[in-house]
Amino acid sequence: MSRKRLKAKSLLYSLPQELKEAMGLNQTSEKTADDTSEVVGDERPTKRRKMDNLLPPGFEKYDATGLVPFYANEDQVPPRLLKYYAQRRRLFSRYAEGCLLDEEGWYSVTPELIADQIADRCRCDTIIDAFCGVGGNAIAFAKTCERVIAIDNSPVRLALARHNAALYGVVDRIEFVLADFVSFARTLGTSSTVGKVDVIFLSPPWGGIDYQVLSTSNLTLGSKAIPSTPDTGDKEQSLQKEQGTPQDELVPQYSLASLKPLHGKELFSLARQITPHVAIYLPRNQDLNEVSDLVTGSAGAPHAGLNRSASSLAIEDEKVEVEEEWMGNKLKALTCYFGGLVSGQEYLWD
């Protein structure tokens, strides 16, 4: 796969004006000689209160200090976030230098080492981070890809992502887009700019901080054990005790239907209208039969009415590769790769 070094004109600028209007996006450019990033949508939110800037001199325009608290020690952290704060250096190795996260970011950002691993697998010219959140994956992609399009529907999270990218020194490689990915993808998927995107990374919301509760109504015995966790007295562990089943053999299945804002099959289909090369970040207890169905069932086929370019994205005898993401001795998540991102399917890049 070739890596073009020539900076191409922004994918966002190349969209026809009527498509931009159909997506409901108003673009505001803040470009200067040293700024090639973009914000699409409203201007970044006004800071709530004046504080000392967390970013070094020269990066003031990206500084989001005051939008959310920066926790310097655990005494400042709300009790519900303490376990995530304890992992702060795994989430961002440069956290102490001023990384910012909102509450959702604390429990949803991809740990840095895992994000780096995914980014290495997704090397390409142009990648879309469809749910960028506070920027963990977008920052990693900026190290391995020529251009990153980071999308989020929250102006606060987008400002935090930009702040964190500036701290890591990669803000000039990322185009920040304030938009709903579903609307963005539906519009882009029917335009002539489809072929300009190489990879789409999907890390949609799993259902909030208690997403595992969504799985307890569908407990099944699985062939692959999930490492045990401390006893919390939840419904899953109570069921295990009643059945006399070892905890590391009882696998609560997570369904793609629990993903937000759409069923996982629909999100995958939208991404495949744009590119065959897709990666999806999913809970460690995801039902892998559903993942397999994405390429063997109707989700892997193009939608009726797609243009010729999108219709060509169905792949015969396609395989999916599932990568387990571990931190120490704990399985954190699964990354599922499709298209040319799968080992043995590199020919699909040609």
Side-chain angles (χ1 to χ4, degrees):
M1 174 178 52
S2 63
R3 297 282 306 279
K4 299 182 181 66
R5 289 294 174 186
L6 181 63
K7 287 285 185 180
K9 189 176 182 181
S10 168
L11 173 67
L12 305 177
Y13 278 112
S14 67
L15 285 174
Q17 182 60 35
E18 60 269 21
L19 292 183
K20 295 178 186 177
E21 294 174 355
M23 287 163 46
L25 300 178
N26 296 314
Q27 185 164 335
T28 62
S29 176
E30 301 179 60
K31 289 182 180 290
T32 64
D34 61 348
D35 178 18
T36 58
S37 61
E38 297 174 349
V39 175
V40 175
D42 299 332
E43 295 284 352
R44 57 183 291 183
T46 303
K47 296 177 182 178
R48 293 184 301 181
R49 55 194 175 95
K50 187 71 175 176
M51 296 176 61
D52 293 335
N53 289 344
L54 292 171
L55 294 181
F59 292 92
E60 291 85 355
K61 63 183 174 182
Y62 306 125
D63 201 300
T65 304
L67 282 181
V68 295
F70 173 75
Y71 303 124
N73 58 71
E74 65 179 21
D75 293 338
Q76 303 170 335
V77 183
R80 64 185 177 280
L81 297 180
L82 278 173
K83 68 176 182 178
Y84 304 105
Y85 179 76
Q87 305 287 320
R88 61 194 180 280
R89 293 184 184 87
R90 288 186 173 185
L91 304 181
F92 287 106
S93 63
R94 301 179 66 173
Y95 174 82
E97 299 176 39
C99 288
L100 293 174
L101 302 87
D102 64 349
E103 180 163 333
E104 182 174 325
W106 276 108
Y107 61 77
S108 64
V109 68
T110 305
E112 186 169 311
L113 289 179
I114 294 177
D116 286 344
Q117 164 65 17
I118 296 170
D120 189 61
R121 290 288 303 269
C122 292
R123 287 178 180 272
C124 64
D125 291 335
T126 301
I127 187 169
I128 290 179
D129 184 356
F131 302 90
C132 79
V134 296
N137 288 104
I139 290 169
F141 290 138
K143 303 173 188 176
T144 64
C145 301
E146 293 300 312
R147 186 171 66 214
V148 181
I149 300 172
I151 301 173
D152 204 278
N153 62 3
S154 165
V156 171
R157 283 195 293 276
L158 208 65
L160 299 180
R162 187 170 175 166
H163 170 105
N164 294 332
L167 192 150
Y168 274 79
V170 296
V171 69
D172 61 326
R173 301 176 70 92
I174 305 174
E175 299 170 24
F176 295 93
V177 182
L178 178 60
D180 168 62
F181 170 71
V182 174
S183 298
F184 184 91
R186 285 173 176 163
T187 302
L188 187 62
T190 57
S191 76
S192 59
T193 60
V194 167
K196 296 187 178 182
V197 176
D198 299 305
V199 174
I200 292 182
F201 175 70
L202 300 172
S203 181
W206 295 350
I209 196 168
D210 297 318
Y211 77 91
Q212 289 187 342
V213 175
L214 300 173
S215 307
T216 57
S217 61
N218 188 24
L219 291 174
T220 61
L221 289 177
S223 59
K224 182 168 65 175
I226 287 182
S228 59
T229 55
D231 188 357
T232 61
D234 61 18
K235 294 180 180 178
E236 173 192 341
Q237 291 172 335
S238 298
L239 179 59
Q240 292 169 359
K241 292 177 181 179
E242 293 173 6
Q243 295 180 339
T245 308
Q247 185 173 347
D248 62 352
E249 294 181 4
L250 190 60
V251 182
Q253 301 286 283
Y254 183 91
S255 172
L256 293 176
S258 298
L259 293 176
K260 307 295 180 182
L262 294 177
H263 193 295
K265 289 184 179 180
E266 296 182 64
L267 290 174
F268 178 76
S269 293
L270 283 173
R272 292 285 285 231
Q273 293 179 20
I274 301 169
T275 175
H277 316 300
V278 177
I280 311 179
Y281 190 68
L282 295 168
R284 62 178 186 159
N285 56 338
Q286 170 63 48
D287 182 350
L288 293 182
N289 289 323
E290 291 185 340
V291 174
S292 176
D293 286 344
L294 292 178
V295 293
T296 61
S298 59
H303 287 171
L306 294 182
N307 58 39
R308 183 173 181 180
S309 176
S311 297
S312 66
L313 300 184
I315 302 170
E316 187 175 357
D317 298 326
E318 181 179 4
K319 294 179 174 58
V320 56
E321 183 174 351
V322 179
E323 180 178 82
E324 294 182 338
E325 310 296 0
W326 291 78
M327 294 293 293
N329 62 354
K330 185 175 179 61
L331 178 60
K332 301 293 289 186
L334 304 175
T335 307
C336 303
Y337 298 97
F338 301 84
L341 299 175
V342 176
S343 298
Q345 290 184 170
E346 292 85 357
Y347 64 88
L348 294 173
W349 288 104
D350 299 333

